[in-house]
């Protein structure tokens, strides 16, 4: 594979919406998401009212890449070889010797090959995006509460979390104004959303003028997608995209066969009829990557048009687009933004709506003191040997499935389209694909051991 990647070589440029084209004001959106679940659990399911009170310090628990064992209530952080680096029961961190005793140096019981692990299961849940992370804090606090009040050893609260998702985020929730999340975003979008910088809008137009086909593929429903896009890009946002696909139900969009997940036409944001194939550009719901690629062949006149897809979720965007569709993938990794020693207002405008009295979340893209780096961690050495640093499982997946990783689209918007990025590949160093810089913690990558 070539050492470099260039947008100029791509025929089609696709984007996820949430946390990719649309950046959120994370300290505000985290509190809103947390409250949307916590209020449901307390009011509808009878959970302890203490879940409603969150201190600013509590937010340090949030870290991408954690897995929750749904049976025993333990959260774990995995090394690239599947062993457990750190663990907590609820929010209570386990001491290193307890982790060693509980998990040893063998693979975690649910660990499988990369491919198998991409799935979520009834036994564990991976937290890999900023919509997920407030739920990690809530679930950890639920475990704390049930352990303290009931002395529980096994847990079955997940069904109530799923009911909370259904209540707040079901397809009709936006239209019906139900739950907490959508009514609040509608009421004050500026508190939660960042508009796209002019540089990004100009870059999208530049791609279009260069003859690229532009796609928007989001799992958000069409009414919410419209609100976001009008706010961040303007009322004429549809002029930018040849094809808009909402309610895409990723990763199934990439992994399902056409007959399992056909495209649907839309009218007034309601799904109308299933389509046997996709024969023209437009705005659609659901669908599958196979039928989409057939249309892209027709539109480009090429038998193998080259597609690149930008997304923030390894589970929903990057892994499936690469694994099932063999697309180039650009991971939006805001941890690259939080990793640099910036002033807080540079990484997230915290001063927005400062009068809000709720608990202020730390930006979710910054380092967790409890969990340490998203990218690497240390393994305790035996007596008389030094601790060794290893890559995390999350970090390994970035270099395996991403073409490049960037902190935001803005970071590349002013580069020429034929700019040659160093890509992640087995022949390049583990840090080659990070632009503009690798995480500072990986800069001395020769000190790392790969098990």
């Amino acid at each position: 594979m070539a050492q470099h990647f260039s947008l100029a070589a791509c025929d089609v440029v696709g984007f996820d919406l949430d946390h990719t084209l649309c950046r959120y004001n994370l300290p505000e959106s985290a509190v809103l998401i947390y409250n949307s679940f916590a209020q449901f659990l307390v009011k509808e399911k009878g959970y302890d009212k203490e879940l409603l009170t969150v201190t600013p310090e509590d937010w340090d628990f949030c870290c991408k890449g954690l897995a929750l064992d749904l049976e025993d209530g333990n959260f774990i952080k995995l090394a690239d070889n599947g062993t457990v680096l750190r663990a907590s029961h609820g929010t209570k961190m386990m001491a290193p010797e307890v982790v060693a005793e509980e998990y040893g140096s063998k693979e975690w019981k649910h660990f499988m090959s990369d491919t198998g692990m991409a799935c979520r299961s009834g036994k564990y849940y991976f937290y890999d995006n900023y919509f997920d992370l407030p739920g990690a804090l809530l679930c950890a606090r639920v475990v704390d509460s049930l352990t303290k009040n009931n002395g529980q050893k096994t847990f079955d609260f997940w069904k109530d979390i799923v009911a909370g998702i259904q209540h707040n985020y079901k397809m009709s929730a936006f239209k019906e104004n139900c739950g907490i999340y959508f009514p609040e975003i509608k009421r004050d979008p500026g508190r939660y959303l960042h508009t796209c910088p002019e540089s990004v809008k100009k870059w999208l137009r530049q791609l279009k003028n260069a003859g690229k086909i532009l796609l928007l593929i989001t799992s958000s429903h069409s009414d919410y997608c419209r609100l976001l896009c009008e706010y961040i890009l303007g009322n004429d946002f549809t002029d930018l995209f040849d094809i808009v696909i909402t309610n895409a139900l990723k990763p199934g969009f990439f992994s399902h066969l056409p007959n399992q997940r056909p495209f649907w036409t839309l009218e007034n944001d309601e799904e109308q009829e299933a389509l046997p194939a996709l024969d023209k550009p437009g705005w659609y719901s659901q669908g599958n990557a196979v039928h989409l690629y057939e249309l892209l062949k027709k539109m480009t006149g090429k038998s193998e048009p080259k597609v690149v897809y930008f997304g923030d979720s390894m589970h929903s965007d990057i892994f499936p687009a690469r694994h099932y569709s063999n697309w180039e993938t650009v991971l939006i990794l805001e941890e690259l933004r939080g990793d640099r020693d910036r002033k807080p207002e540079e990484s997230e405008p915290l001063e927005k709506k400062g009068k809000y009295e709720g608990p202020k979340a730390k930006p979710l893209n910054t380092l967790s003191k409890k969990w340490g780096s998203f990218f690497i961690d240390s393994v305790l050495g035996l007596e008389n040997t030094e601790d060794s640093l290893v890559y995390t499982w999350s970090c390994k997946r970035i270099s395996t499935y991403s073409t490049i990783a960037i902190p935001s689209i803005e970071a590349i918007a002013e580069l020429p389209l034929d700019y040659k990025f160093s890509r992640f590949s087995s022949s390049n160093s583990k840090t080659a694909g990070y632009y503009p810089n690798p995480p500072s913690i990986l800069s001395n990558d020769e000190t790392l051991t790969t098990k």
Side-chain angles (χ1 to χ4, degrees), residues 31-47:
V31 172
L32 176 61
I33 292 166
Y34 180 94
N35 286 339
S36 72
F37 284 105
Q39 300 263 8
F40 177 82
L41 290 185
V42 172
K43 289 178 180 168
E44 305 295 325
K45 300 291 180 181
Y47 281 74

Side-chain angles (χ1 to χ4, degrees), residues 81-320:
N81 65 349
T83 57
V84 176
L85 291 165
R86 301 190 192 201
S88 73
H89 182 68
T91 64
K92 310 291 183 287
M93 299 304 293
M94 295 181 189
E97 53 275 16
V98 177
V99 174
E101 191 181 325
E102 180 102 359
Y103 295 104
S105 56
K106 59 185 186 297
E107 286 182 358
W108 180 48
K109 62 186 174 185
H110 296 307
F111 189 79
M112 294 177 280
S113 69
D114 279 347
T115 310
M117 287 294 285
C119 310
R120 285 169 179 167
S121 107
K123 294 180 177 170
Y124 59 83
Y125 189 88
F126 270 100
Y127 291 91
D128 93 326
N129 65 67
Y130 296 128
F131 277 155
D132 275 351
L133 284 191
L137 175 59
L138 178 64
C139 289
R141 296 187 73 218
V142 166
V143 170
D144 290 348
S145 171
L146 295 174
T147 304
K148 183 178 82 177
N149 299 329
N150 311 348
Q152 273 179 239
K153 295 277 191 288
T154 57
F155 299 87
D156 64 350
F157 62 85
W158 190 251
K159 63 184 186 306
D160 296 330
I161 298 290
V162 172
I165 295 172
Q166 178 59 14
H167 174 68
N168 279 288
Y169 301 99
K170 64 185 176 186
M171 198 167 181
S172 59
F174 185 94
K175 190 169 280 185
E176 292 168 7
N177 237 25
C178 75
I180 288 174
Y181 183 82
F182 290 125
E184 180 57 21
I185 297 270
K186 282 191 216 178
R187 189 186 69 77
D188 191 359
R191 178 165 160 183
Y192 302 102
L193 311 173
H194 295 310
T195 54
C196 269
E198 205 46 54
S199 61
V200 172
K201 295 182 194 174
K202 196 172 157 190
W203 178 77
L204 291 169
R205 288 192 289 269
Q206 192 187 355
L207 287 166
K208 197 116 172 80
N209 294 338
K212 311 297 178 195
I213 291 170
L214 265 56
L215 313 174
L216 186 61
I217 308 174
T218 173
S219 291
S220 287
H221 299 304
S222 57
D223 43 17
Y224 185 54
C225 170
R226 197 181 305 280
L227 177 141
L228 295 183
C229 288
E230 285 177 358
Y231 184 81
I232 66 167
L233 291 167
N235 293 342
D236 59 350
F237 76 90
T238 48
D239 298 345
L240 288 169
F241 301 103
D242 298 277
I243 300 168
V244 176
I245 299 163
T246 52
N247 193 25
L249 303 167
K250 296 176 290 180
F253 179 85
F254 296 102
S255 61
H256 281 58
L257 298 171
N259 62 347
Q260 297 172 294
R261 188 68 65 72
F263 281 95
W264 288 74
T265 59
L266 282 163
E267 200 174 299
N268 299 325
D269 297 319
E270 299 279 354
E271 291 180 353
Q272 298 298 310
E273 58 173 321
L275 299 172
L278 204 57
D279 58 4
K280 61 177 189 285
W283 188 313
Y284 300 97
S285 188
Q286 298 196 46
N288 62 85
V290 174
H291 278 169
L292 172 62
Y293 198 64
E294 290 304 315
L295 175 60
L296 296 174
K297 287 182 191 176
K298 225 160 68 172
M299 290 172 72
T300 58
K302 294 184 175 181
S303 59
E304 291 188 2
K306 188 169 183 177
V307 185
V308 59
Y309 187 63
F310 288 70
D312 70 295
S313 168
M314 181 57 69
H315 168 74
S316 301
D317 301 318
I318 303 302
F319 169 79

Side-chain angles (χ1 to χ4, degrees), residues 4-13 203 206-207 210-213 302 306-308 310 328 412 415-421:
H4 295 99
F5 162 75
S6 159
L7 285 167
C10 298
D11 304 295
V12 182
V13 186
W203 178 77
Q206 192 187 355
L207 287 166
K212 311 297 178 195
I213 291 170
K302 294 184 175 181
K306 188 169 183 177
V307 185
V308 59
F310 288 70
E328 300 278 13
I412 65 167
L415 298 174
L417 296 185
D418 59 0
Y419 182 89
K420 287 184 164 50
F421 296 93

